Amino acid sequence: DTGVSQDPRHKITKRGQNVTFRCDPISEHNRLYWYRQTLGQGPEFLTYFQNEAQLEKSRLLSNRFSAERPKGSFSTLEIQRTEQGDSAMYLCASSLGPQFYEQYFGPGTRLTVT
Amino acid sequence: AQKITQTQPGMFVQEKEAVTLDCTYDTSDPSYGLFWYKQPSSGEMIFLIYQGSYDQQNATEGRYSLNFQKARKSANLVISASQLGDSAMYFCAMREGTGFQKLVFGTGTRLLVSP
């Protein structure tokens, strides 16, 4: 399978715990995006990487959130001290780069904070 | 101000018929792009079709076509010959500018295709 993959697909955690999600983009894609989707809404942008550089962060990304993309390959999104409001689907997408605008999404990680 | 507006929370269509899903957008950037994505109940966002602001012709991809009316700032998705597997949420999205390319999504339209 050469699409975007995400792990885990589902995560249930207790409030206050830390969680980490992983995204593996399509191999030749140098741009990687994280989005968050809550029930009944479209995805909302969280952050963007070009290769290993994190170039943009949304105001939605509080200081409890951190994302990395070491070596410009896979990316991780960590949420510290989770809150119930963090419950959502976390989607990762990748794109090839300039002039190739299509973003291809992974299956998402559904986070439930109890 | 809302950048992408999808006014149809739900749409029904019979199998084999065509359906139009509405999308209007708001931007002052002359360079932008419009996307449609399908999200089945499994959750994955599936890219359907893309229209650039400078594209002269309406985009088409198989049974999907994008009715792009620039002056009206609308980018409606037309699905021809609907199939039961088309039942899903459909999201319109926009990117602005030529550099950084985050997508801004609408709230979606749920399409139900009946036999």
Side-chain angles (χ1 to χ4, degrees):
Chain A
D1 186 6
T2 57
V4 178
S5 61
Q6 292 186 246
D7 185 69
R9 296 290 307 276
H10 303 274
K11 179 73 178 176
I12 300 173
T13 191
K14 291 187 177 178
R15 191 175 53 188
Q17 298 293 305
N18 299 344
V19 293
T20 299
F21 310 140
R22 177 180 170 124
C23 170
D24 287 88
I26 295 171
S27 59
E28 63 269 27
H29 286 188
N30 60 21
R31 298 183 176 201
L32 187 147
Y33 311 79
W34 285 98
Y35 292 83
R36 181 172 70 185
Q37 185 179 22
T38 53
L39 210 57
Q41 300 296 317
E44 294 175 292
F45 168 78
L46 292 178
T47 191
Y48 156 67
F49 289 86
Q50 184 168 312
N51 299 311
E52 66 275 9
Q54 187 175 19
L55 297 185
E56 185 74 19
K57 289 168 60 172
S58 163
R59 282 174 290 179
L60 291 175
L61 215 62
S62 77
N63 55 13
R64 295 185 298 106
F65 288 69
S66 62
E68 294 182 341
R69 192 183 182 198
K71 303 179 184 177
S73 56
F74 70 92
S75 175
T76 58
L77 178 68
E78 181 184 16
I79 309 174
Q80 297 182 325
R81 304 181 303 281
T82 52
E83 302 172 356
Q84 286 188 319
D86 297 332
S87 295
M89 175 80 90
Y90 290 84
L91 294 162
C92 176
S94 69
S95 67
L96 190 53
Q99 313 311 317
F100 295 92
Y101 299 115
E102 297 87 341
Q103 293 184 21
Y104 295 91
F105 283 77
T109 294
R110 183 169 296 283
L111 173 66
T112 302
V113 182
T114 61
Chain B
Q2 196 139 359
K3 297 251 182 184
I4 295 286
T5 302
Q6 295 181 256
T7 56
Q8 305 157 314
M11 289 286 285
F12 294 89
V13 67
Q14 277 206 305
E15 205 177 1
K16 298 178 187 173
E17 297 198 340
V19 63
T20 298
L21 306 184
D22 294 342
C23 173
T24 58
Y25 60 91
D26 183 31
T27 181
S28 56
D29 198 314
S31 176
Y32 56 91
L34 297 151
F35 301 75
W36 279 91
Y37 283 85
K38 172 185 178 181
Q39 189 175 42
S41 54
S42 58
E44 186 169 353
M45 299 286 286
I46 301 168
F47 166 74
L48 295 178
I49 197 165
Y50 170 77
Q51 178 87 42
S53 59
Y54 294 121
D55 294 343
Q56 295 296 313
Q57 304 216 338
N58 285 348
T60 60
E61 289 286 349
R63 294 186 299 111
Y64 304 108
S65 61
L66 201 152
N67 184 2
F68 181 45
Q69 298 189 40
K70 201 167 181 177
R72 298 178 63 182
K73 293 192 174 178
S74 75
N76 298 340
L77 177 70
V78 180
I79 306 175
S80 62
S82 297
Q83 301 172 356
L84 295 178
D86 293 335
S87 293
M89 283 292 289
Y90 287 80
F91 290 95
C92 180
M94 180 173 67
R95 62 144 190 93
E96 292 176 296
T98 55
F100 165 52
Q101 296 159 13
K102 77 174 185 183
L103 296 182
V104 176
F105 286 83
T107 52
T109 296
R110 181 171 296 282
L111 177 66
L112 287 177
V113 181
S114 60

